[in-house]
Amino acid sequence: MLDDRPPPRISWPRDVDTVITELRTLAAVGELDLPLPGSGDTAGRWAALARLGRRDLALARLAEGHTDAVAILAEAGRKPAPEALYGVWAARSGGTGAVLDNGVLSGTVRFCSGAHRLDRALVASLDDGRSVLVEVDLADAGITAVPGTWLPLGMDASDSPDVTIDDVAVTDDMIVGDPGFYLDRPGFWQGGMGVAAVWLGGAQGVLDEVLAGLSTPDDHQLAHIGALHTAIRATEALLAQAASTVDADPLGDHHLLAWTCRAAAERAAWEVLDRVPRVTGPTPMCRDPRFAQRLADLQVYVRQHHAEKDLAAIGKAVLA
Ligand SMILES: Cc1cc2nc3c(=O)[nH]c(=O)nc-3n(C[C@H](O)[C@H](O)[C@H](O)COP(=O)(O)OP(=O)(O)OC[C@H]3O[C@@H](n4cnc5c(N)ncnc54)[C@H](O)[C@@H]3O)c2cc1C
């Protein structure tokens, strides 16, 4: 799943514009046309996502969202709009989120990656307590990013602010799948494992930076490198096995497997965040903005994992 060599580095300095330009280039040359999850080459899909994460996590965040949207649309028997870049905006952080009421979509959605630059989004809304997925055109005047709501150091270039949706009329053709489709479909958990592949790539990307800069390592540094290699390769093996399981039973319920892959990738990322600064000391964190950015990106992005909440869910499932 992880190549022997790192992918080419993203152009630097990196900002939202460079990331979007690169994303559109990748889309134009077909590099975002990934095998669908469960279609027989899930490992190929996740390897591509890991490669993107290894290259740059902000780029991978947007690429993963787009490819997830394409997979969701396929699962609903639909096609994406030609040449459009998509996001999937489903967060209900802090009690926010979109609401669908009598065919009108409204509300504030947090963490809308690509808010200023993408073309379309799949928005998970609640209609009378039921989840309904709505495809929106981001050129709609009723959909606006809220200034001042995306101020991070890590993942800054993922452009993930709050978005307000102000009374957008929803026609039948904008509704994707039946009510409950977004959360109930098998692809929900397959998509969650794709995110784990991105985290894994991000972890390897930081390790790549360390390996490129280490000239005469001492024994302690070597031990850290060995531990990180082991953590990353163990997660890679788990994901490869999970890909086979998904391909063998694409309509199966793989939620425990997804939780397990995500927890393993989160732990590998934290091994990197814990050990890498002990290998390098503060110098690259203070003098190499690319190195510092990659650490900060990984620290922020891997917090999509809900930590002990998700581990407790695994524990409960294992006991059951
Ligand atoms: C870089 C990035 C990009 C993302 N992009 C997308 C996207 O495009 N689409 C999408 O659907 N989702 C996206 N997400 C969101 C993600 O999927 C989750 O929905 C989100 O991380 C959950 O946020 P939460 O605040 O609800 O955290 P949770 O992990 O659900 O909960 C956090 C807990 O911390 C507590 N808390 C919050 N603030 C404080 C504080 N100041 N002090 C003490 N406790 C506090 C809260 O009360 C809560 O109990 C993105 C996330 C990140 C990090």
Side-chain angles (χ1 to χ4, degrees), residues 61 88-91 93 111 113 150 155 158 160 300 304 306 309:
R61 168 75 282 273
V88 179
W89 297 346
S93 170
F111 293 106
S113 292
W150 189 244
M155 296 299 280
S158 72
S160 309
V300 171
Q304 274 200 320
H306 297 105
K309 260 185 258 174

